[in-house]
Amino acid sequence: MSNVGFRIYTKINRPSRELVEAFADIPVANIADNMGRITCVDSYIKPYNEAKLLGTALTVRAPLGDNLMFHKAIDMAEPGDIIVVDGESNMNHALCGEIMMRLAMKKGIAGFLIDGCIRDVDALKDLDFAVYARGSNPKGPYKNGPGEINVPVSCGGQAVLPGDIIVGDSDGVVVIRPEDAEDLVAKGTKHNQNEVKVFEEIENGTIDRSWVDESLKAKGCEIIE
């Protein structure tokens, strides 16, 4: 019998660590520009320190203000995993704090991405552990369940599947399907190289800005002197 809403899937098809690490030097903005600019998590989910987010999604569906499945996910996670929690955008209770963060760090977990709240924000500032969340609240969670692990979840307006590659920096977070990753590494690397050329053109005064007026003209903009 299937117990929908209260079940755990133990297996994840994780991409290779080498493929994940290939995104380490590509800014989230450059990745997103090569994904139609529609694959980023909503901007209300923000980083709580300067640690970058890079790893493979282990997903959690948590009922409002309850972190029982979040705790189980920490026990299940492998080094390099990012625990992605669909907390239904609830702002009334924190789903984790410093104890869970330190436990995850000790296990080699790569970070948390939470559509919900955290607490112990001041302590997190000094931890080398990436946490992105919707907000903070000092009220702790319940531990009753139900919930699910390693199912499709919604986080910041994006569907996240177990095994997806998650990349986050100061700008925000992008979600990458593993089957798209190799192509995006190539495109993102080229994007980086093109930006370096643009920076050089800006410095030496050779940048071509004619496209701005050309675009305005093509769109029928009236310029009045």
mmCIF file of all heavy atoms in Angstrom, residues 40-89:
data_model
loop_
_atom_site.group_PDB
_atom_site.id
_atom_site.type_symbol
_atom_site.label_atom_id
_atom_site.label_comp_id
_atom_site.label_asym_id
_atom_site.label_seq_id
_atom_site.Cartn_x
_atom_site.Cartn_y
_atom_site.Cartn_z
ATOM 1 N N CYS A 40 15.736 30.323 -12.337
ATOM 2 C CA CYS A 40 16.266 30.764 -11.044
ATOM 3 C C CYS A 40 15.178 30.729 -9.969
ATOM 4 O O CYS A 40 14.002 30.986 -10.231
ATOM 5 C CB CYS A 40 16.824 32.179 -11.142
ATOM 6 S SG CYS A 40 18.367 32.284 -12.068
ATOM 7 N N VAL A 41 15.603 30.447 -8.770
ATOM 8 C CA VAL A 41 14.726 30.492 -7.610
ATOM 9 C C VAL A 41 14.348 31.946 -7.331
ATOM 10 O O VAL A 41 15.143 32.865 -7.541
ATOM 11 C CB VAL A 41 15.459 29.873 -6.396
ATOM 12 C CG1 VAL A 41 14.715 30.139 -5.104
ATOM 13 C CG2 VAL A 41 15.649 28.377 -6.613
ATOM 14 N N ASP A 42 13.130 32.175 -6.869
ATOM 15 C CA ASP A 42 12.655 33.534 -6.588
ATOM 16 C C ASP A 42 13.612 34.282 -5.669
ATOM 17 O O ASP A 42 14.210 33.693 -4.760
ATOM 18 C CB ASP A 42 11.270 33.499 -5.940
ATOM 19 C CG ASP A 42 10.172 33.181 -6.931
ATOM 20 O OD1 ASP A 42 10.418 33.284 -8.143
ATOM 21 O OD2 ASP A 42 9.063 32.811 -6.487
ATOM 22 N N SER A 43 13.705 35.584 -5.872
ATOM 23 C CA SER A 43 14.694 36.388 -5.156
ATOM 24 C C SER A 43 14.389 36.549 -3.677
ATOM 25 O O SER A 43 15.245 37.010 -2.918
ATOM 26 C CB SER A 43 14.815 37.773 -5.806
ATOM 27 O OG SER A 43 13.583 38.452 -5.778
ATOM 28 N N TYR A 44 13.187 36.164 -3.233
ATOM 29 C CA TYR A 44 12.930 36.252 -1.789
ATOM 30 C C TYR A 44 13.717 35.200 -1.003
ATOM 31 O O TYR A 44 13.852 35.300 0.216
ATOM 32 C CB TYR A 44 11.436 36.178 -1.464
ATOM 33 C CG TYR A 44 10.704 34.914 -1.851
ATOM 34 C CD1 TYR A 44 10.966 33.698 -1.239
ATOM 35 C CD2 TYR A 44 9.694 34.952 -2.820
ATOM 36 C CE1 TYR A 44 10.271 32.556 -1.575
ATOM 37 C CE2 TYR A 44 8.994 33.812 -3.163
ATOM 38 C CZ TYR A 44 9.289 32.614 -2.533
ATOM 39 O OH TYR A 44 8.595 31.486 -2.878
ATOM 40 N N ILE A 45 14.252 34.189 -1.683
ATOM 41 C CA ILE A 45 15.131 33.231 -1.017
ATOM 42 C C ILE A 45 16.553 33.749 -1.145
ATOM 43 O O ILE A 45 17.086 33.839 -2.249
ATOM 44 C CB ILE A 45 14.974 31.828 -1.615
ATOM 45 C CG1 ILE A 45 13.557 31.310 -1.341
ATOM 46 C CG2 ILE A 45 16.022 30.875 -1.045
ATOM 47 C CD1 ILE A 45 13.289 29.911 -1.839
ATOM 48 N N LYS A 46 17.168 34.087 -0.007
ATOM 49 C CA LYS A 46 18.437 34.797 0.000
ATOM 50 C C LYS A 46 19.504 34.037 0.771
ATOM 51 O O LYS A 46 19.185 33.244 1.668
ATOM 52 C CB LYS A 46 18.261 36.188 0.618
ATOM 53 C CG LYS A 46 17.291 37.082 -0.151
ATOM 54 C CD LYS A 46 17.231 38.467 0.450
ATOM 55 C CE LYS A 46 16.266 39.358 -0.323
ATOM 56 N NZ LYS A 46 16.693 39.551 -1.723
ATOM 57 N N PRO A 47 20.786 34.307 0.462
ATOM 58 C CA PRO A 47 21.874 33.691 1.230
ATOM 59 C C PRO A 47 22.026 34.358 2.589
ATOM 60 O O PRO A 47 21.812 35.566 2.725
ATOM 61 C CB PRO A 47 23.106 33.951 0.351
ATOM 62 C CG PRO A 47 22.773 35.194 -0.413
ATOM 63 C CD PRO A 47 21.294 35.142 -0.649
ATOM 64 N N TYR A 48 22.410 33.591 3.578
ATOM 65 C CA TYR A 48 22.589 34.120 4.925
ATOM 66 C C TYR A 48 24.054 34.226 5.339
ATOM 67 O O TYR A 48 24.354 34.569 6.476
ATOM 68 C CB TYR A 48 21.784 33.293 5.933
ATOM 69 C CG TYR A 48 20.359 33.780 5.994
ATOM 70 C CD1 TYR A 48 19.432 33.412 5.025
ATOM 71 C CD2 TYR A 48 19.952 34.653 6.993
ATOM 72 C CE1 TYR A 48 18.131 33.891 5.065
ATOM 73 C CE2 TYR A 48 18.650 35.134 7.045
ATOM 74 C CZ TYR A 48 17.753 34.745 6.075
ATOM 75 O OH TYR A 48 16.466 35.232 6.108
ATOM 76 N N ASN A 49 24.954 33.921 4.428
ATOM 77 C CA ASN A 49 26.370 34.219 4.616
ATOM 78 C C ASN A 49 27.004 34.252 3.228
ATOM 79 O O ASN A 49 26.300 34.284 2.221
ATOM 80 C CB ASN A 49 27.059 33.223 5.555
ATOM 81 C CG ASN A 49 26.928 31.775 5.082
ATOM 82 O OD1 ASN A 49 26.739 31.502 3.888
ATOM 83 N ND2 ASN A 49 27.011 30.838 6.003
ATOM 84 N N GLU A 50 28.329 34.252 3.172
ATOM 85 C CA GLU A 50 29.000 34.381 1.880
ATOM 86 C C GLU A 50 29.403 33.035 1.276
ATOM 87 O O GLU A 50 30.044 32.999 0.220
ATOM 88 C CB GLU A 50 30.223 35.277 2.035
ATOM 89 C CG GLU A 50 29.865 36.710 2.406
ATOM 90 C CD GLU A 50 31.073 37.616 2.475
ATOM 91 O OE1 GLU A 50 32.196 37.125 2.273
ATOM 92 O OE2 GLU A 50 30.899 38.826 2.735
ATOM 93 N N ALA A 51 29.052 31.935 1.918
ATOM 94 C CA ALA A 51 29.394 30.617 1.381
ATOM 95 C C ALA A 51 28.579 30.335 0.125
ATOM 96 O O ALA A 51 27.365 30.561 0.088
ATOM 97 C CB ALA A 51 29.134 29.533 2.426
ATOM 98 N N LYS A 52 29.241 29.850 -0.923
ATOM 99 C CA LYS A 52 28.551 29.542 -2.173
ATOM 100 C C LYS A 52 27.883 28.171 -2.094
ATOM 101 O O LYS A 52 28.347 27.269 -1.407
ATOM 102 C CB LYS A 52 29.529 29.606 -3.343
ATOM 103 C CG LYS A 52 30.002 31.013 -3.654
ATOM 104 C CD LYS A 52 30.835 31.048 -4.926
ATOM 105 C CE LYS A 52 31.229 32.478 -5.275
ATOM 106 N NZ LYS A 52 32.012 32.545 -6.531
ATOM 107 N N LEU A 53 26.796 28.070 -2.850
ATOM 108 C CA LEU A 53 26.007 26.841 -2.865
ATOM 109 C C LEU A 53 26.323 26.069 -4.144
ATOM 110 O O LEU A 53 26.169 26.596 -5.244
ATOM 111 C CB LEU A 53 24.527 27.213 -2.827
ATOM 112 C CG LEU A 53 23.493 26.155 -2.478
ATOM 113 C CD1 LEU A 53 23.661 25.695 -1.037
ATOM 114 C CD2 LEU A 53 22.081 26.723 -2.656
ATOM 115 N N LEU A 54 26.769 24.836 -4.008
ATOM 116 C CA LEU A 54 27.055 24.003 -5.172
ATOM 117 C C LEU A 54 26.961 22.537 -4.773
ATOM 118 O O LEU A 54 27.709 22.057 -3.918
ATOM 119 C CB LEU A 54 28.455 24.290 -5.722
ATOM 120 C CG LEU A 54 28.881 23.473 -6.949
ATOM 121 C CD1 LEU A 54 27.979 23.771 -8.145
ATOM 122 C CD2 LEU A 54 30.338 23.754 -7.302
ATOM 123 N N GLY A 55 26.022 21.828 -5.390
ATOM 124 C CA GLY A 55 25.873 20.419 -5.054
ATOM 125 C C GLY A 55 24.667 19.807 -5.729
ATOM 126 O O GLY A 55 24.071 20.378 -6.652
ATOM 127 N N THR A 56 24.293 18.638 -5.237
ATOM 128 C CA THR A 56 23.226 17.826 -5.817
ATOM 129 C C THR A 56 22.016 17.802 -4.883
ATOM 130 O O THR A 56 22.162 17.595 -3.680
ATOM 131 C CB THR A 56 23.728 16.385 -6.029
ATOM 132 O OG1 THR A 56 24.878 16.411 -6.870
ATOM 133 C CG2 THR A 56 22.663 15.530 -6.681
ATOM 134 N N ALA A 57 20.840 17.994 -5.435
ATOM 135 C CA ALA A 57 19.630 18.133 -4.615
ATOM 136 C C ALA A 57 19.178 16.817 -4.000
ATOM 137 O O ALA A 57 19.033 15.808 -4.686
ATOM 138 C CB ALA A 57 18.500 18.716 -5.456
ATOM 139 N N LEU A 58 18.970 16.862 -2.698
ATOM 140 C CA LEU A 58 18.203 15.859 -1.976
ATOM 141 C C LEU A 58 16.971 16.607 -1.483
ATOM 142 O O LEU A 58 17.087 17.561 -0.727
ATOM 143 C CB LEU A 58 19.007 15.277 -0.807
ATOM 144 C CG LEU A 58 18.395 14.083 -0.054
ATOM 145 C CD1 LEU A 58 19.489 13.308 0.688
ATOM 146 C CD2 LEU A 58 17.326 14.490 0.944
ATOM 147 N N THR A 59 15.793 16.215 -1.921
ATOM 148 C CA THR A 59 14.600 17.039 -1.721
ATOM 149 C C THR A 59 13.756 16.585 -0.531
ATOM 150 O O THR A 59 13.679 15.394 -0.216
ATOM 151 C CB THR A 59 13.724 17.050 -2.980
ATOM 152 O OG1 THR A 59 13.266 15.718 -3.248
ATOM 153 C CG2 THR A 59 14.501 17.577 -4.179
ATOM 154 N N VAL A 60 13.105 17.582 0.086
ATOM 155 C CA VAL A 60 12.237 17.329 1.237
ATOM 156 C C VAL A 60 10.950 18.123 1.072
ATOM 157 O O VAL A 60 10.990 19.325 0.806
ATOM 158 C CB VAL A 60 12.913 17.757 2.560
ATOM 159 C CG1 VAL A 60 11.967 17.534 3.739
ATOM 160 C CG2 VAL A 60 14.221 17.022 2.774
ATOM 161 N N ARG A 61 9.822 17.462 1.247
ATOM 162 C CA ARG A 61 8.533 18.149 1.367
ATOM 163 C C ARG A 61 8.156 18.145 2.834
ATOM 164 O O ARG A 61 7.995 17.084 3.450
ATOM 165 C CB ARG A 61 7.443 17.450 0.563
ATOM 166 C CG ARG A 61 7.600 17.565 -0.942
ATOM 167 C CD ARG A 61 6.431 16.945 -1.670
ATOM 168 N NE ARG A 61 5.204 17.698 -1.415
ATOM 169 C CZ ARG A 61 3.979 17.261 -1.738
ATOM 170 N NH1 ARG A 61 3.835 16.076 -2.307
ATOM 171 N NH2 ARG A 61 2.927 18.005 -1.495
ATOM 172 N N ALA A 62 8.030 19.348 3.407
ATOM 173 C CA ALA A 62 7.747 19.465 4.829
ATOM 174 C C ALA A 62 6.406 20.148 5.046
ATOM 175 O O ALA A 62 6.150 21.195 4.450
ATOM 176 C CB ALA A 62 8.855 20.268 5.509
ATOM 177 N N PRO A 63 5.558 19.597 5.904
ATOM 178 C CA PRO A 63 4.322 20.301 6.225
ATOM 179 C C PRO A 63 4.632 21.562 7.008
ATOM 180 O O PRO A 63 5.742 21.753 7.500
ATOM 181 C CB PRO A 63 3.537 19.283 7.060
ATOM 182 C CG PRO A 63 4.573 18.387 7.637
ATOM 183 C CD PRO A 63 5.683 18.328 6.618
ATOM 184 N N LEU A 64 3.668 22.447 7.147
ATOM 185 C CA LEU A 64 3.886 23.761 7.739
ATOM 186 C C LEU A 64 4.540 23.663 9.117
ATOM 187 O O LEU A 64 3.992 23.090 10.055
ATOM 188 C CB LEU A 64 2.555 24.510 7.868
ATOM 189 C CG LEU A 64 1.837 24.828 6.550
ATOM 190 C CD1 LEU A 64 0.530 25.539 6.831
ATOM 191 C CD2 LEU A 64 2.718 25.671 5.649
ATOM 192 N N GLY A 65 5.753 24.239 9.221
ATOM 193 C CA GLY A 65 6.421 24.346 10.509
ATOM 194 C C GLY A 65 6.924 23.043 11.099
ATOM 195 O O GLY A 65 7.206 22.975 12.298
ATOM 196 N N ASP A 66 7.095 22.003 10.292
ATOM 197 C CA ASP A 66 7.504 20.694 10.797
ATOM 198 C C ASP A 66 8.797 20.257 10.110
ATOM 199 O O ASP A 66 8.899 20.318 8.878
ATOM 200 C CB ASP A 66 6.398 19.668 10.533
ATOM 201 C CG ASP A 66 6.615 18.367 11.297
ATOM 202 O OD1 ASP A 66 7.563 17.633 10.965
ATOM 203 O OD2 ASP A 66 5.829 18.099 12.218
ATOM 204 N N ASN A 67 9.786 19.779 10.890
ATOM 205 C CA ASN A 67 11.070 19.418 10.294
ATOM 206 C C ASN A 67 11.491 17.972 10.534
ATOM 207 O O ASN A 67 12.678 17.641 10.430
ATOM 208 C CB ASN A 67 12.171 20.378 10.764
ATOM 209 C CG ASN A 67 12.638 20.119 12.187
ATOM 210 O OD1 ASN A 67 12.030 19.331 12.920
ATOM 211 N ND2 ASN A 67 13.713 20.787 12.585
ATOM 212 N N LEU A 68 10.544 17.081 10.840
ATOM 213 C CA LEU A 68 10.895 15.683 11.050
ATOM 214 C C LEU A 68 11.599 15.098 9.835
ATOM 215 O O LEU A 68 12.649 14.447 9.952
ATOM 216 C CB LEU A 68 9.632 14.871 11.369
ATOM 217 C CG LEU A 68 9.840 13.355 11.536
ATOM 218 C CD1 LEU A 68 10.781 13.063 12.702
ATOM 219 C CD2 LEU A 68 8.489 12.657 11.744
ATOM 220 N N MET A 69 11.064 15.336 8.642
ATOM 221 C CA MET A 69 11.674 14.803 7.424
ATOM 222 C C MET A 69 12.995 15.512 7.098
ATOM 223 O O MET A 69 13.895 14.906 6.497
ATOM 224 C CB MET A 69 10.702 14.910 6.258
ATOM 225 C CG MET A 69 9.581 13.904 6.299
ATOM 226 S SD MET A 69 10.183 12.196 6.293
ATOM 227 C CE MET A 69 8.693 11.318 5.874
ATOM 228 N N PHE A 70 13.130 16.754 7.475
ATOM 229 C CA PHE A 70 14.388 17.472 7.302
ATOM 230 C C PHE A 70 15.489 16.781 8.108
ATOM 231 O O PHE A 70 16.602 16.551 7.611
ATOM 232 C CB PHE A 70 14.180 18.922 7.775
ATOM 233 C CG PHE A 70 15.239 19.906 7.346
ATOM 234 C CD1 PHE A 70 14.990 21.267 7.484
ATOM 235 C CD2 PHE A 70 16.463 19.511 6.818
ATOM 236 C CE1 PHE A 70 15.940 22.212 7.096
ATOM 237 C CE2 PHE A 70 17.424 20.447 6.436
ATOM 238 C CZ PHE A 70 17.161 21.793 6.585
ATOM 239 N N HIS A 71 15.177 16.410 9.339
ATOM 240 C CA HIS A 71 16.151 15.678 10.162
ATOM 241 C C HIS A 71 16.536 14.353 9.502
ATOM 242 O O HIS A 71 17.721 13.982 9.454
ATOM 243 C CB HIS A 71 15.577 15.420 11.552
ATOM 244 C CG HIS A 71 15.786 16.538 12.511
ATOM 245 N ND1 HIS A 71 16.984 16.754 13.164
ATOM 246 C CD2 HIS A 71 14.939 17.528 12.921
ATOM 247 C CE1 HIS A 71 16.879 17.822 13.946
ATOM 248 N NE2 HIS A 71 15.656 18.304 13.814
ATOM 249 N N LYS A 72 15.559 13.633 9.000
ATOM 250 C CA LYS A 72 15.836 12.355 8.343
ATOM 251 C C LYS A 72 16.696 12.569 7.107
ATOM 252 O O LYS A 72 17.610 11.767 6.812
ATOM 253 C CB LYS A 72 14.532 11.655 7.969
ATOM 254 C CG LYS A 72 14.721 10.315 7.259
ATOM 255 C CD LYS A 72 15.521 9.326 8.129
ATOM 256 C CE LYS A 72 15.660 7.975 7.408
ATOM 257 N NZ LYS A 72 16.490 7.031 8.200
ATOM 258 N N ALA A 73 16.452 13.651 6.376
ATOM 259 C CA ALA A 73 17.243 13.945 5.175
ATOM 260 C C ALA A 73 18.707 14.174 5.523
ATOM 261 O O ALA A 73 19.608 13.754 4.778
ATOM 262 C CB ALA A 73 16.665 15.169 4.459
ATOM 263 N N ILE A 74 18.982 14.830 6.640
ATOM 264 C CA ILE A 74 20.376 15.017 7.071
ATOM 265 C C ILE A 74 21.036 13.665 7.318
ATOM 266 O O ILE A 74 22.187 13.436 6.929
ATOM 267 C CB ILE A 74 20.432 15.901 8.327
ATOM 268 C CG1 ILE A 74 20.040 17.341 7.969
ATOM 269 C CG2 ILE A 74 21.827 15.872 8.957
ATOM 270 C CD1 ILE A 74 19.949 18.277 9.165
ATOM 271 N N ASP A 75 20.319 12.760 7.941
ATOM 272 C CA ASP A 75 20.875 11.420 8.196
ATOM 273 C C ASP A 75 21.136 10.665 6.896
ATOM 274 O O ASP A 75 22.074 9.873 6.802
ATOM 275 C CB ASP A 75 19.924 10.608 9.069
ATOM 276 C CG ASP A 75 19.823 11.150 10.486
ATOM 277 O OD1 ASP A 75 20.717 11.925 10.893
ATOM 278 O OD2 ASP A 75 18.842 10.810 11.176
ATOM 279 N N MET A 76 20.312 10.878 5.888
ATOM 280 C CA MET A 76 20.428 10.166 4.616
ATOM 281 C C MET A 76 21.456 10.776 3.666
ATOM 282 O O MET A 76 22.002 10.078 2.808
ATOM 283 C CB MET A 76 19.076 10.168 3.888
ATOM 284 C CG MET A 76 17.998 9.337 4.543
ATOM 285 S SD MET A 76 16.384 9.607 3.724
ATOM 286 C CE MET A 76 16.772 9.201 2.011
ATOM 287 N N ALA A 77 21.701 12.063 3.772
ATOM 288 C CA ALA A 77 22.474 12.795 2.762
ATOM 289 C C ALA A 77 23.914 12.306 2.679
ATOM 290 O O ALA A 77 24.515 11.885 3.672
ATOM 291 C CB ALA A 77 22.442 14.286 3.069
ATOM 292 N N GLU A 78 24.463 12.423 1.475
ATOM 293 C CA GLU A 78 25.857 12.087 1.225
ATOM 294 C C GLU A 78 26.661 13.371 1.050
ATOM 295 O O GLU A 78 26.097 14.443 0.762
ATOM 296 C CB GLU A 78 25.974 11.224 -0.027
ATOM 297 C CG GLU A 78 25.285 9.875 0.094
ATOM 298 C CD GLU A 78 25.477 9.013 -1.140
ATOM 299 O OE1 GLU A 78 26.172 9.457 -2.092
ATOM 300 O OE2 GLU A 78 24.914 7.901 -1.152
ATOM 301 N N PRO A 79 27.992 13.302 1.243
ATOM 302 C CA PRO A 79 28.814 14.495 1.011
ATOM 303 C C PRO A 79 28.566 15.077 -0.376
ATOM 304 O O PRO A 79 28.489 14.352 -1.365
ATOM 305 C CB PRO A 79 30.243 13.954 1.143
ATOM 306 C CG PRO A 79 30.109 12.803 2.091
ATOM 307 C CD PRO A 79 28.792 12.156 1.738
ATOM 308 N N GLY A 80 28.406 16.401 -0.429
ATOM 309 C CA GLY A 80 28.124 17.064 -1.700
ATOM 310 C C GLY A 80 26.657 17.279 -1.983
ATOM 311 O O GLY A 80 26.307 17.990 -2.934
ATOM 312 N N ASP A 81 25.781 16.701 -1.176
ATOM 313 C CA ASP A 81 24.344 16.922 -1.360
ATOM 314 C C ASP A 81 23.938 18.287 -0.819
ATOM 315 O O ASP A 81 24.529 18.794 0.151
ATOM 316 C CB ASP A 81 23.525 15.859 -0.622
ATOM 317 C CG ASP A 81 23.494 14.525 -1.360
ATOM 318 O OD1 ASP A 81 23.878 14.479 -2.540
ATOM 319 O OD2 ASP A 81 23.077 13.519 -0.731
ATOM 320 N N ILE A 82 22.920 18.857 -1.422
ATOM 321 C CA ILE A 82 22.247 20.041 -0.892
ATOM 322 C C ILE A 82 20.828 19.630 -0.530
ATOM 323 O O ILE A 82 20.106 19.076 -1.363
ATOM 324 C CB ILE A 82 22.224 21.179 -1.925
ATOM 325 C CG1 ILE A 82 23.644 21.718 -2.146
ATOM 326 C CG2 ILE A 82 21.290 22.307 -1.479
ATOM 327 C CD1 ILE A 82 23.747 22.684 -3.290
ATOM 328 N N ILE A 83 20.446 19.888 0.700
ATOM 329 C CA ILE A 83 19.091 19.551 1.114
ATOM 330 C C ILE A 83 18.164 20.698 0.726
ATOM 331 O O ILE A 83 18.320 21.829 1.181
ATOM 332 C CB ILE A 83 19.023 19.261 2.617
ATOM 333 C CG1 ILE A 83 19.898 18.040 2.941
ATOM 334 C CG2 ILE A 83 17.572 19.014 3.049
ATOM 335 C CD1 ILE A 83 19.911 17.647 4.401
ATOM 336 N N VAL A 84 17.233 20.401 -0.171
ATOM 337 C CA VAL A 84 16.289 21.386 -0.685
ATOM 338 C C VAL A 84 14.941 21.123 -0.022
ATOM 339 O O VAL A 84 14.357 20.051 -0.198
ATOM 340 C CB VAL A 84 16.156 21.286 -2.213
ATOM 341 C CG1 VAL A 84 15.164 22.314 -2.731
ATOM 342 C CG2 VAL A 84 17.516 21.463 -2.885
ATOM 343 N N VAL A 85 14.459 22.108 0.734
ATOM 344 C CA VAL A 85 13.250 21.916 1.532
ATOM 345 C C VAL A 85 12.101 22.768 0.997
ATOM 346 O O VAL A 85 12.200 23.997 0.937
ATOM 347 C CB VAL A 85 13.502 22.274 3.010
ATOM 348 C CG1 VAL A 85 12.246 22.007 3.840
ATOM 349 C CG2 VAL A 85 14.681 21.476 3.564
ATOM 350 N N ASP A 86 11.035 22.110 0.623
ATOM 351 C CA ASP A 86 9.785 22.775 0.265
ATOM 352 C C ASP A 86 8.992 22.948 1.550
ATOM 353 O O ASP A 86 8.275 22.048 1.982
ATOM 354 C CB ASP A 86 9.023 21.931 -0.751
ATOM 355 C CG ASP A 86 7.659 22.503 -1.120
ATOM 356 O OD1 ASP A 86 7.286 23.556 -0.557
ATOM 357 O OD2 ASP A 86 6.973 21.899 -1.957
ATOM 358 N N GLY A 87 9.157 24.108 2.184
ATOM 359 C CA GLY A 87 8.443 24.397 3.421
ATOM 360 C C GLY A 87 7.166 25.174 3.195
ATOM 361 O O GLY A 87 6.643 25.799 4.120
ATOM 362 N N GLU A 88 6.660 25.150 1.962
ATOM 363 C CA GLU A 88 5.417 25.808 1.580
ATOM 364 C C GLU A 88 5.463 27.315 1.843
ATOM 365 O O GLU A 88 4.438 27.951 2.087
ATOM 366 C CB GLU A 88 4.217 25.173 2.300
ATOM 367 C CG GLU A 88 4.047 23.687 1.959
ATOM 368 C CD GLU A 88 2.815 23.078 2.597
ATOM 369 O OE1 GLU A 88 2.360 23.574 3.652
ATOM 370 O OE2 GLU A 88 2.289 22.106 2.029
ATOM 371 N N SER A 89 6.667 27.886 1.821
ATOM 372 C CA SER A 89 6.869 29.327 2.024
ATOM 373 C C SER A 89 6.360 29.801 3.376
ATOM 374 O O SER A 89 6.130 31.001 3.567
ATOM 375 C CB SER A 89 6.185 30.132 0.901
ATOM 376 O OG SER A 89 6.685 29.765 -0.360
#
